[in-house]
Amino acid sequence: MILQALTSYYGRISAYDGSGVAPEGFEKKEIPFIIVLDHDGKFKGIDDTRSGEGKKKRAREFLVPKGVKKSVNIAANLLWGNPEYVLGRPRPGTETDVKKVEKVKARHASFVETIESLDVDDSGVSAVLCFLREDDFSSVFSHPSWPEIEKSGKNDITFRLEGDTGLVCERNEVKKAVASMNKRGEDDRLQACLVTGEMDSPTRLHTAIKGVWGAQSSGANIVSFNLEAFNSYGKTQGFNAPVGKKAEHAYTTALNRLLGRDSRRRIQVGDSSTIFWADENSVMEDVYADLFGEPPKENPEQINQAIRVLFESPRSGAPPITEDYTRFYVLGLSPNASRVAVRFWYAGTVGEVATNIKQYFEDCAIVHGNKEPEHLSLFRLLVSTALQRKSENIQPNLSGEVMKSILTGTPYPATLLASAVRRIRAEREITYPRASLVKAVLVRNSRYEKEVGMALDQNNTNVGYRLGRLFSVLEKVQEEASPGINATIRDHFYGSASSTPVTAFPYLMKLKNHHLAKLENRGRAVNLERLIGQIVEGVASAGFPAHLSLQDQGRFAVGYYHQRQDLFTKKSTDEEE
């Protein structure tokens, strides 16, 4: 299903002129340096295709023959590669190592043989072969750009004929030859492709997927059989699950394009590199990243704008997006050694996704300060559950599970509430993101019994919620009795009060009497005591419970947050009066 959807996406984008999608047998590659030759194969100079400054320099992309898969073997690309393959030049510092020098010579010989095997009558290819057979590259090594090419030893180089605008490997004769070579598979037999169902030559090794956060820079495989234990019926590698060459090129090209650096179809959610696409052009493709990604500093209203674009279309006369039946896909990928693991997969319609996203924002809505954003990004919510609020400390698999719950409208994973409550207890701080997250979990778990609202609910009789409110008022009493106090009861008693109330609240209620006695404003003291009485009245007559469940600990946090926001709201209203 995943490969079929990606193959269809390749067909969609390749149908547009100027899409820049690589045809079969080719790939898009950043080539930083180009050797310029004349028609006799004489060296004329080196083009530097990079732009930008410092470490942000980026090379221009060119269409080159698809690179071969390498590990420790010697395998040359056609008409492009690093200095070891193209010029037989060892990396600086390895010139005296006899074994490495011999290996570099073998690589260069393989590069020349690959071009000679092309068997085309083309002036560009002839010029390159003349230059390589001359075997005198002193003019290249003395060029001012050479030290920078040699510095990393990984900069790819290729060739261009003087007067041409394109590369030698982009010439028509070369393209025809590559297409012809591509039709001849590694195995002459034809099999039914598992993706398209058509008869095609199966692919032994699939193209590596690049751009997955945390994976190898050279790429990782999403389909591979690299151990004998994975083989069946005497078949090896990709022949165990035959995917035709056309389908293999289509799905890997589409995946690499979606995961590309400049892609607007990807976001990073925790440890999952998440990509999304639709069967047809859809507004959801344009705003999905804005809805869940962290807004840039120069545009903090990004999420609000995306929500308006998504859900206010009826006001402009357009059909509601919730009635859009275009297929929409979301795929979460994460690294696993030299492979890519599928963290989650969603296939639905644009309308279903829009409905569930709207529900997600409604579930997360909670009162907040005037300077805080109306909607928080998913990254900001998840990172609030992590140690030191760092993304690398987000619990493994949590981000993928949460994203799947959002898209399907199902309850959030139990680990999400546990993580939020654990950070609240450890740091003794109930922030806007944590309160929003806990409230969203509770609301979704009781979809048809709305027990936790957006703001303070004085009629909520849940013991956890009530005790949270009580704890907030007791802290307020202490703050007003001792202005400027460094540590409040929240710093000393939050953990015990939210998990084992019977061990904390009797002492806190006794301490409250001392704090109320210190208040000079007796009217304020009476009002606070009356509020405490109203809250305690709702607690079970059996007294403070010995233990609160994880769900009630979450309600405790939300009750505390609601009551504290309400206390500050009332204070500012009184001052205005």
Side-chain angles (χ1 to χ4, degrees):
M1 181 65 187
I2 297 174
L3 301 189
Q4 287 174 336
L6 285 167
T7 302
S8 298
Y9 180 68
Y10 174 82
R12 173 194 155 194
I13 56 178
S14 60
Y16 291 102
D17 291 335
S19 63
V21 180
E24 199 176 341
F26 288 83
E27 66 173 303
K28 287 282 188 177
K29 186 78 179 177
E30 291 185 357
I31 304 289
F33 297 98
I34 299 170
I35 295 176
V36 183
L37 305 174
D38 66 10
H39 286 261
D40 296 325
K42 302 297 182 186
F43 175 74
K44 291 297 180 180
I46 294 178
D47 287 349
D48 186 348
T49 70
R50 299 172 301 167
S51 58
E53 295 293 332
K55 293 183 179 179
K56 294 184 179 179
K57 275 188 175 180
R58 287 189 61 182
R60 186 181 155 198
E61 271 194 345
F62 292 92
L63 189 66
V64 297
K66 186 174 279 189
V68 295
K69 298 204 73 167
K70 299 175 188 173
S71 53
V72 294
N73 58 324
I74 294 176
N77 299 321
L78 179 62
L79 287 166
W80 64 277
N82 61 38
E84 289 186 345
Y85 274 94
V86 177
L87 302 173
R89 176 83 166 183
R91 292 186 187 182
T94 62
E95 297 89 344
T96 57
D97 190 326
V98 177
K99 286 186 178 178
K100 289 187 178 177
V101 170
E102 290 300 319
K103 198 169 186 178
V104 170
K105 284 183 180 177
R107 287 175 175 171
H108 178 61
S110 171
F111 183 76
V112 177
E113 287 173 8
T114 304
I115 300 175
E116 288 174 340
S117 68
L118 197 56
D119 192 24
V120 293
D121 183 14
D122 180 79
S123 58
V125 175
S126 299
V128 172
L129 284 174
C130 284
F131 171 75
L132 295 174
R133 287 167 180 162
E134 191 76 20
D135 201 22
D136 178 12
F137 309 130
S138 55
S139 52
V140 178
F141 302 147
S142 60
H143 192 275
S145 297
W146 180 253
E148 200 162 359
I149 298 174
E150 199 174 34
K151 191 163 59 178
S152 72
K154 295 181 180 178
N155 285 321
D156 288 320
I157 50 181
T158 186
F159 300 95
R160 178 176 68 82
L161 270 189
E162 190 178 31
D164 283 4
T165 55
L167 304 177
V168 172
C169 58
E170 292 178 324
R171 295 172 72 89
N172 288 332
E173 290 301 319
V174 177
K175 285 183 177 178
K176 290 177 184 175
V178 171
S180 174
M181 288 167 59
N182 198 55
K183 287 179 181 175
R184 301 194 302 268
E186 296 172 82
D187 196 320
D188 292 335
R189 62 187 169 184
L190 296 179
Q191 283 185 279
C193 174
L194 291 182
V195 177
T196 61
E198 300 173 355
M199 299 301 287
D200 196 358
S201 178
T203 305
R204 185 174 67 88
L205 295 176
H206 291 224
T207 304
I209 305 303
K210 298 181 180 179
V212 176
W213 184 74
Q216 296 175 350
S217 58
S218 57
N221 290 315
I222 196 169
V223 177
S224 72
F225 300 82
N226 59 342
L227 292 175
E228 287 191 11
F230 305 148
N231 297 333
S232 301
Y233 300 102
K235 297 180 178 178
T236 59
Q237 297 183 324
F239 299 131
N240 284 281
V243 176
K245 294 180 76 66
K246 290 180 181 176
E248 186 272 340
H249 171 76
Y251 94 79
T252 54
T253 303
L255 202 48
N256 280 319
R257 184 184 175 94
L258 289 166
L259 287 164
R261 264 197 292 186
D262 301 325
S263 173
R264 282 279 300 160
R265 303 281 187 272
R266 71 163 291 172
I267 53 173
Q268 190 66 36
V269 182
D271 62 346
S272 300
S273 298
T274 305
I275 56 174
F276 49 89
W277 70 96
D279 275 351
E280 301 172 6
N281 284 333
S282 169
V283 67
M284 182 61 79
E285 284 185 314
D286 300 328
V287 301
Y288 191 87
D290 296 342
L291 289 168
F292 293 108
E294 181 72 0
K297 291 181 180 177
E298 61 271 16
N299 185 19
E301 289 292 312
Q302 174 181 282
I303 298 179
N304 295 339
Q305 292 168 357
I307 292 174
R308 280 196 289 273
V309 169
L310 202 59
F311 298 112
E312 294 187 359
S313 54
R315 297 184 185 180
S316 61
I321 192 169
T322 51
E323 297 178 9
D324 189 338
Y325 299 104
T326 304
R327 299 290 293 172
F328 190 79
Y329 308 98
V330 183
L331 176 62
L333 301 170
S334 59
N336 182 3
S338 60
R339 300 184 184 190
V340 175
V342 175
R343 187 67 81 188
F344 62 88
W345 163 246
Y346 172 82
T349 67
V350 171
E352 291 170 351
V353 172
T355 302
N356 290 329
I357 289 177
K358 186 179 181 183
Q359 189 62 60
Y360 155 72
F361 282 111
E362 289 177 357
D363 291 347
C364 289
I366 196 168
V367 289
H368 54 82
N370 295 330
K371 294 183 180 178
E372 292 172 314
E374 184 178 356
H375 301 290
L376 294 167
S377 68
L378 183 58
F379 170 79
R380 198 55 53 195
L381 292 173
L382 289 175
V383 87
S384 72
T385 67
L387 179 66
Q388 298 177 332
R389 303 181 193 186
K390 291 183 177 178
S391 59
E392 56 267 31
N393 293 334
I394 295 174
Q395 196 166 334
N397 301 334
L398 182 62
S399 54
E401 295 290 327
V402 172
M403 177 59 83
K404 192 173 181 180
S405 297
I406 293 172
L407 294 172
T408 56
T410 54
Y412 292 112
T415 49
L416 180 62
L417 179 61
S419 299
V421 171
R422 187 163 55 242
R423 293 320 312 160
I424 289 172
R425 290 183 59 181
E427 298 179 14
R428 298 180 295 279
E429 189 176 4
I430 305 173
T431 60
Y432 171 35
R434 286 172 184 164
S436 176
L437 202 56
V438 172
K439 183 245 179 184
V441 173
L442 297 176
V443 168
R444 183 155 294 198
N445 287 347
S446 55
R447 172 64 61 209
Y448 301 106
E449 297 175 15
K450 191 176 179 181
E451 58 179 54
V452 178
M454 179 176 173
L456 179 65
D457 181 5
Q458 295 182 349
N459 297 320
N460 192 325
T461 58
N462 178 269
V463 66
Y465 188 82
R466 286 265 172 178
L467 290 177
R469 289 183 58 200
L470 177 61
F471 190 75
S472 176
V473 177
L474 294 177
E475 184 187 26
K476 182 65 175 169
V477 172
Q478 183 189 31
E479 287 174 342
E480 292 193 15
S482 305
I485 189 171
N486 289 329
T488 67
I489 58 172
R490 184 183 63 184
D491 300 293
H492 298 291
F493 294 97
Y494 184 87
S496 58
S498 62
S499 58
T500 54
V502 72
T503 63
F505 276 99
Y507 174 77
L508 294 175
M509 293 298 284
K510 184 178 176 183
L511 189 64
K512 172 259 304 178
N513 296 329
H514 170 68
H515 291 148
L516 284 173
K518 287 177 67 177
L519 291 179
E520 295 180 358
N521 186 341
R522 300 314 304 164
R524 176 64 173 164
V526 171
N527 288 336
L528 287 171
E529 193 159 20
R530 184 182 302 156
L531 179 58
I532 291 171
Q534 292 173 353
I535 296 173
V536 172
E537 191 179 23
V539 179
S541 57
F544 295 110
H547 174 74
L548 288 183
S549 65
L550 185 63
Q551 298 285 327
D552 281 340
Q553 289 181 44
R555 296 182 185 98
F556 183 98
V558 176
Y560 171 88
Y561 182 83
H562 278 169
Q563 185 64 59
R564 191 157 178 84
Q565 290 288 328
D566 188 68
L567 285 170
F568 282 103
T569 303
K570 284 184 176 178
K571 181 182 177 183
S572 50
T573 306
D574 293 342
E575 284 179 354
E576 287 175 8
E577 289 176 353

